[in-house]
């Protein structure tokens, strides 16, 4: 019958679930799970950053021994990604700040933070985002910071590379 498809059962107040403490704990746990979405996205961005860096640098014949560390301690601060590699047999470190946004303001903030964290012993700052705009790439260039985005655009100038 046509009417049966569109008729919905009505609920009586006795059919509603009892609002118990267990009910609220269940919902609270669900809300906390939803709020952790940012850290999951950030982890995915860092994993994507690792893949793009590895693919980009594997084509350079004198770059080898790449090692990646996420959320690494660098002095008193934590960086999104710390990459160690060898260039012409010499140890090099990339100190990377992975951001969800590649706009100029975000790039400038990341570059300033990276430059504050730099160790004089051969560290190279790298800004990483899903897409780095033309204006943001100009900010990185002006500040002497490398950049790479998950689309494959990059400018990495270090130790003759």
């Amino acid at each position: 019958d046509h009417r049966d498809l569109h008729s919905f059962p009505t609920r009586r107040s006795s059919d509603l679930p009892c609002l118990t403490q267990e009910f609220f704990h269940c919902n609270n746990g669900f809300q906390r799970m939803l709020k952790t979405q940012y850290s999951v996205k950030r982890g995915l961005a860092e994993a994507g950053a690792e893949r793009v860096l590895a693919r980009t640098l594997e084509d350079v014949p004198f770059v080898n021994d790449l090692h990646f560390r996420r959320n690494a301690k660098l002095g008193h601060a934590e960086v999104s990604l710390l990459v160690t590699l060898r260039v012409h047999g010499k140890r090099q470190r990339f100190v990377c700040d992975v951001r969800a946004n590649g706009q100029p303001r975000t790039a400038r903030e990341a570059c300033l933070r990276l430059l504050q964290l730099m160790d004089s012993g051969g560290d190279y700052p790298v800004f990483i985002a899903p897409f780095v705009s033309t204006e943001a790439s100009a900010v990185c260039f002006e500040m002497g910071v490398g950049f790479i985005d998950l689309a494959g655009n990059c400018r990495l100038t270090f130790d003759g590379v």
Side-chain angles (χ1 to χ4, degrees), residues 124-140:
Y124 181 66
V126 180
F127 170 62
I128 302 174
F131 179 76
V132 176
S133 70
T134 305
E135 295 84 5
S137 65
V139 167
C140 293

Side-chain angles (χ1 to χ4, degrees), residues 13-128:
S13 62
S14 62
D15 292 338
L16 295 176
C18 181
L19 300 178
T20 63
Q21 187 174 4
E22 290 82 24
F23 176 79
F24 286 111
H25 282 292
C26 176
N27 280 340
N28 187 20
F30 179 71
Q31 287 174 342
R32 270 186 275 139
M33 184 174 66
L34 289 177
K35 290 181 181 179
T36 61
Q37 182 179 11
Y38 175 73
S39 63
V40 171
K41 284 184 180 178
R42 182 176 173 173
L44 291 174
E46 290 166 352
E50 284 181 30
R51 282 193 303 276
V52 169
L53 268 172
R55 272 189 268 149
T56 301
L57 294 172
E58 73 186 5
D59 293 336
V60 182
F62 48 86
V63 172
N64 51 29
D65 293 335
L66 271 85
H67 298 281
F68 297 90
R69 268 190 17 227
R70 292 185 199 173
N71 303 319
K73 286 284 187 190
L74 189 65
H76 63 281
E78 185 176 285
V79 294
S80 305
L81 192 60
L82 190 63
V83 184
T84 55
L85 56 136
R86 293 212 171 271
V87 180
H88 298 295
K90 188 173 107 179
R91 181 183 165 277
Q92 175 80 41
R93 252 185 358 180
F94 286 0
V95 179
C96 306
D97 194 348
V98 179
R99 300 284 180 108
N101 180 334
Q103 295 303 314
R105 183 177 61 98
T106 307
R108 187 174 315 282
E109 290 170 2
C111 290
L112 288 170
R113 180 175 182 271
L114 286 168
L115 292 173
Q116 289 174 347
L117 296 173
M118 286 300 97
D119 180 16
S120 61
D123 289 350
Y124 181 66
V126 180
F127 170 62
I128 302 174

